[in-house]
Amino acid sequence: MISEIQVVEHFKSWAGLNSPDIYVTHEHIKAIQVRENLVFADVEVGYPCLSQTETIRSTIETYLKTLHPSLQVQLNIKIVIVPHKVRHGLKLMPGVKNIIAVASGKGGVGKSTTAVNIALALQREGASVGILDADIYGPSIPTMLRLEGKPSVEEGEKGWWPLTAYGIEAISIGVLIEEDTPMVWRGPMVTSALEQLLRETRWRNLDYLVVDLPPGTGDIQLTLSQKVPLSGAVIVTTPQDIALLDVKKGLKMFEKVNVPILGIIENMSLHTCSQCGHTEAIFGSGGGHHLAEDYNAPFLGQLPLDIKIREHSDSGTPIVISDPLSPITQAYINLARRMSIQLAHTGREFSHKFPQIIMQ
């Protein structure tokens, strides 16, 4: 007869699943029960991983059967996403566990398209997700998600409810103004508008809020990085040298404000000709990977230069939604999962659990 103590001790010697795509250790195994030759256990995974649950299940079952081959295993795999550390002195926002900034050193590298598809990939993998379009001058999220209507406001309540699209929540200055209205605002006005969008939107218990930052590393980006309780940041770049020069500035900016870099994504890495099938690195090769090595940052992976990504984004049906089985969609899912695993490695944030002490 196998006991619960034996199973617990057996798990302690388990090497676990620790790779860029799967992260499960013995510490994630909870509520172990043994009845005769049947083992029950909860597996609490700290990142969205619906596409990986069968791999996790079969690996744990195989390992347990090394304890005794006749063991039957019943696992309840749960996705339990918790808040992670933010910059000292900042408080978590109501209704949001983790805020992840998607940034780029310059425009034109596909940052917004990447942010949208990563948000949708996180939702597809089992997380509750929202996206905030922080580009006041050139909001593109309403087009990419085909957002319609205005955010709803309840009488007597402060703030507004976000719009929803494809299972995620979304807010943008683009849904609050007319489409052809130019935003002729100076820096302080832009920063104030962004803070209002962020803090007065009534997010509904999100695991992740993806913030699509404006391109560049100016005063607006720095102020936002200092004032918004970011859990981490992802940098999007192309492989070409000019883009990489600007990315270095973005890395330094987040380093200055103590925001962890969750990874670097190299967009537009390779192009495959639809006529002849020839694959070519139009913007160079290896730039993102080398940059990650130089700055000791995780390299999350590459995305292709493909017309389908642009077409689906322009039509308001991002490729993760419109072509869910494509290799490109799988690439976005892999990137999103690797990013969330990097966040799962960082420390937890407990300040939201501390009681408020009132002196009278």
Side-chain angles (χ1 to χ4, degrees):
M1 175 73 75
I2 301 296
S3 69
E4 292 175 8
I5 294 176
Q6 286 177 294
V7 173
V8 171
E9 291 301 316
H10 191 57
F11 268 126
K12 287 182 180 180
S13 62
W14 180 44
L17 289 164
N18 195 349
S19 72
D21 290 295
I22 304 179
Y23 174 60
V24 182
T25 72
H26 73 273
E27 295 179 347
H28 298 112
I29 314 297
K30 312 287 186 181
I32 297 172
Q33 295 181 359
V34 179
R35 298 173 189 168
E36 296 182 355
N37 71 331
L38 183 59
V39 178
F40 298 89
D42 291 340
V43 184
E44 296 186 357
V45 185
Y47 60 94
C49 61
L50 288 182
S51 65
Q52 301 297 311
T53 52
E54 288 312 307
T55 300
I56 295 170
R57 189 188 309 279
S58 63
T59 303
I60 294 175
E61 287 178 357
T62 300
Y63 176 72
L64 271 178
K65 287 187 178 182
T66 62
L67 184 62
H68 198 290
S70 67
L71 278 180
Q72 300 296 310
V73 183
Q74 185 170 320
L75 300 175
N76 180 25
I77 300 178
K78 302 177 180 178
I79 296 172
V80 182
I81 299 169
V82 299
H84 292 274
K85 281 190 178 296
V86 298
R87 187 167 178 266
H88 182 69
L90 297 177
K91 294 183 179 180
L92 295 179
M93 283 176 31
V96 180
K97 294 178 184 175
N98 299 288
I99 302 178
I100 299 173
V102 178
S104 65
K106 60 179 294 183
V109 299
K111 170 186 54 62
S112 296
T113 302
T114 303
V116 166
N117 280 291
I118 280 182
L120 291 167
L122 287 170
Q123 189 269 343
R124 179 169 162 174
E125 283 288 275
S128 173
V129 185
I131 187 166
L132 181 139
D133 186 353
D135 194 343
I136 297 294
Y137 296 120
S140 55
I141 302 299
T143 299
M144 292 185 184
L145 290 177
R146 202 184 287 170
L147 298 178
E148 297 178 352
K150 302 291 183 184
S152 60
V153 179
E154 293 182 9
E155 188 175 351
E157 296 287 340
K158 183 180 180 180
W160 47 74
W161 295 103
L163 300 175
T164 58
Y166 307 117
I168 67 173
E169 299 185 0
I171 196 68
S172 168
I173 195 72
V175 300
L176 299 173
I177 61 172
E178 297 302 321
E179 187 175 353
D180 57 352
T181 301
M183 301 305 296
V184 189
W185 288 355
R186 295 187 183 274
M189 295 176 66
V190 173
T191 302
S192 176
L194 283 176
E195 284 198 78
Q196 187 176 4
L197 277 177
L198 189 69
R199 300 185 186 281
E200 296 195 14
T201 301
R202 304 176 68 182
W203 306 105
R204 301 176 181 90
N205 193 29
L206 301 179
D207 295 317
Y208 304 102
L209 175 62
V210 176
V211 178
D212 178 26
L213 286 180
T217 54
D219 181 63
I220 294 171
Q221 290 81 1
L222 183 59
T223 303
L224 279 172
S225 301
Q226 291 173 325
K227 291 186 176 182
V228 175
L230 295 175
S231 306
V234 173
I235 309 290
V236 180
T237 184
T238 57
Q240 67 186 118
D241 292 340
I242 294 175
L244 295 172
L245 287 172
D246 291 323
V247 167
K248 293 176 183 179
K249 299 174 186 177
L251 288 166
K252 287 293 185 182
M253 179 188 73
F254 287 116
E255 181 182 295
K256 184 178 294 186
V257 293
N258 297 317
V259 173
I261 300 296
L262 302 179
I264 294 173
I265 295 173
E266 187 180 274
N267 196 22
M268 308 181 195
S269 295
L270 295 170
H271 172 68
T272 301
C273 177
S274 59
Q275 301 298 316
C276 68
H278 173 68
T279 297
E280 188 173 7
I282 294 175
F283 294 110
S285 62
H289 196 277
H290 294 149
L291 186 70
E293 289 181 341
D294 291 344
Y295 283 82
N296 196 28
F299 182 67
L300 299 180
Q302 298 172 315
L303 291 165
L305 176 62
D306 194 295
I307 191 173
K308 288 183 286 189
I309 298 175
R310 193 273 304 167
E311 288 175 340
H312 288 299
S313 296
D314 286 351
S315 67
T317 55
I319 195 164
V320 169
I321 296 298
S322 57
D323 196 355
L325 301 179
S326 71
I328 297 174
T329 292
Q330 188 58 55
Y332 279 116
I333 291 172
N334 292 341
L335 292 172
R337 189 172 57 250
R338 291 167 191 167
M339 176 193 72
S340 58
I341 288 174
Q342 289 297 324
L343 182 57
H345 281 294
T346 65
R348 294 180 60 173
E349 175 65 42
F350 293 103
S351 61
H352 63 293
K353 294 187 176 182
F354 294 163
Q356 185 177 6
I357 299 174
I358 301 174
M359 303 296 292
Q360 291 183 336

